[in-house]
């Protein structure tokens, strides 16, 4: 990349969004895009504010965001990939588990990722080849190697509920019976970071969008974890995907356990 992007400066810009995100008036201004799929005034304000600041500081880098049809024009050029509020339903309900997820694609791969949860005041970040951090301190995936002592996180999407339900709950039952326990957080970006920080050993979810996982998958990998498609294939963070993320040590075990599922996979 010709433009040098400072991880510290990106974190500063993202953290400055906290008052905007915690303003309940914005969260209460809700429009339903589709069934159980919301956009709030907060989502829109965060995306507009952050893209304006990023473009001013690093002109020439494209922007791709969840809201308002913000899409990159060329995948072979640098692009910011943003989910202004990952966990919008959580935000609407005051659940306290939502995050800004921002990644930088350099034309070949994701080279920077920042996930900020203002409700816990946690900033997860990673730069390619430099490890992962939470609030500046290095983080690592857990070293657990047995499924029986592994905590599993799963996600559910409001999209295609009827088509996905059988496959999801068939695989979820397999995971539940073999692992220590299950958790459901409601933010893919935060869930990926929880695995990166050693707070859980695996996470999976269907039909994630690039802005859901682009930053989190880099943070996870830089923390020593593995992130693939649910069939074990490689990922392109500019495309939708069914995601499996683990601490790396149990990845093959989980892939074998998931296997084919009932219904559409």
């Amino acid at each position: 990349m010709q433009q040098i992007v400072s991880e510290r400066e990106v974190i500063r810009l993202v953290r400055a969004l906290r008052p905007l995100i915690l303003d309940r008036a914005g969260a209460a201004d809700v429009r339903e895009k589709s069934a159980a799929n919301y956009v709030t005034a907060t989502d829109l304000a965060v995306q507009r504010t952050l893209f304006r600041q990023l473009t001013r500081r690093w002109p020439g880098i494209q922007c791709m965001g969840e809201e308002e049809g913000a899409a990159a024009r060329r995948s072979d050029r640098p692009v910011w990939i943003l989910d202004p509020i990952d966990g919008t339903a959580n935000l609407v309900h005051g659940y306290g588990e939502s995050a800004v997820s921002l990644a930088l694609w350099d034309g070949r791969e994701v080279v920077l990722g920042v996930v900020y949860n203002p409700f816990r005041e946690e900033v997860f970040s990673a730069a390619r080849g430099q490890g992962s951090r939470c609030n500046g301190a290095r983080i690592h995936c857990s070293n657990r190697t047995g499924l029986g002592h592994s905590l599993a996180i799963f996600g559910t999407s409001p999209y295609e509920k009827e088509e996905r339900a059988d496959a999801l709950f068939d695989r979820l039952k397999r995971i539940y019976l073999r692992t220590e326990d299950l958790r459901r957080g409601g933010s893919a970006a935060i869930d990926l970071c929880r695995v990166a920080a050693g707070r859980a050993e695996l996470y999976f979810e269907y039909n994630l969008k690039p802005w859901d996982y682009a930053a989190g998958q880099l943070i996870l990998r830089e923390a020593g974890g593995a992130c693939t498609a649910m069939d074990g294939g490689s990922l392109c963070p500019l495309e939708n995907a069914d995601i499996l993320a683990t601490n790396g040590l149990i990845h093959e075990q989980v892939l074998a356990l998931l296997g084919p599922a009932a219904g559409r996979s």
Side-chain angles (χ1 to χ4, degrees):
M1 288 180 60
Q2 294 181 342
Q3 302 182 67
I4 304 300
V5 176
S6 163
E7 179 182 353
R8 181 176 297 181
E9 189 168 356
V10 173
I11 290 173
R12 180 183 63 80
L13 292 175
V14 171
R15 292 193 80 153
L17 298 165
R18 185 172 187 266
L20 195 59
I21 299 169
L22 298 187
D23 180 1
R24 289 302 299 165
D29 186 350
V30 185
R31 175 171 58 85
E32 193 170 37
K33 295 189 286 188
S34 59
N37 182 20
Y38 307 108
V39 60
T40 70
T42 301
D43 293 80
L44 299 175
V46 168
Q47 179 163 308
R48 292 167 185 165
T49 300
L50 190 52
F51 276 166
R52 183 172 62 250
Q53 293 172 340
L54 292 169
T55 301
R56 182 184 301 130
R57 178 61 185 83
W58 294 285
I61 299 181
Q62 305 171 94
C63 294
M64 173 191 290
E66 179 176 12
E67 309 304 339
E68 300 182 316
R73 295 177 296 278
R74 292 184 53 180
S75 62
D76 61 342
R77 301 290 301 277
V79 55
W80 296 108
I81 307 172
L82 172 68
D83 193 338
I85 299 292
D86 185 50
T88 299
N90 285 351
L91 184 75
V92 170
H93 288 275
Y95 193 68
E97 289 290 324
S98 304
V100 180
S101 177
L102 179 67
L104 177 59
W105 170 269
D106 73 351
R108 300 180 305 275
E109 61 184 352
V110 175
V111 295
L112 179 67
V114 175
V115 173
Y116 173 46
N117 179 353
F119 299 95
R120 292 179 178 263
E121 265 301 286
E122 287 188 324
V123 179
F124 297 91
S125 64
R128 184 72 174 169
Q130 298 180 32
S132 298
R133 288 156 292 280
C134 177
N135 292 348
R138 287 293 296 268
I139 57 173
H140 303 277
C141 292
S142 80
N143 59 7
R144 294 177 186 267
T145 58
L147 288 178
H149 294 96
S150 294
L151 196 61
I153 308 174
F154 69 100
T156 55
S157 170
Y159 315 105
E160 302 177 319
K161 281 186 177 180
E162 295 295 331
E163 296 89 341
R164 296 280 185 176
D166 287 343
L168 169 63
F169 287 101
D170 175 74
R171 283 172 163 156
L172 188 59
K173 182 179 179 180
R174 300 183 201 179
I175 294 291
Y176 176 62
L177 291 174
R178 293 289 301 277
T179 58
E180 184 176 332
D181 207 349
L182 300 174
R183 298 291 184 269
R184 163 79 168 98
S187 166
I190 294 175
D191 289 341
L192 285 163
C193 292
R194 285 190 171 119
V195 179
R199 301 173 188 175
E201 282 63 51
L202 73 97
Y203 158 73
F204 76 98
E205 185 165 354
Y206 288 110
N207 196 28
L208 290 180
K209 307 300 187 289
W211 40 80
D212 295 322
Y213 74 92
Q217 59 85 33
L218 176 66
I219 294 167
L220 173 74
R221 285 172 168 153
E222 287 292 320
C227 191
T228 67
M230 215 176 291
D231 61 3
S234 60
L235 298 172
C236 174
L238 296 179
E239 299 174 354
N240 296 359
D242 300 337
I243 297 293
L244 170 64
T246 74
N247 66 356
L249 301 175
I250 62 170
H251 204 80
E252 294 302 320
Q253 295 178 64
V254 181
L255 283 173
L257 182 60
L258 290 176
R264 179 180 171 182
S265 62

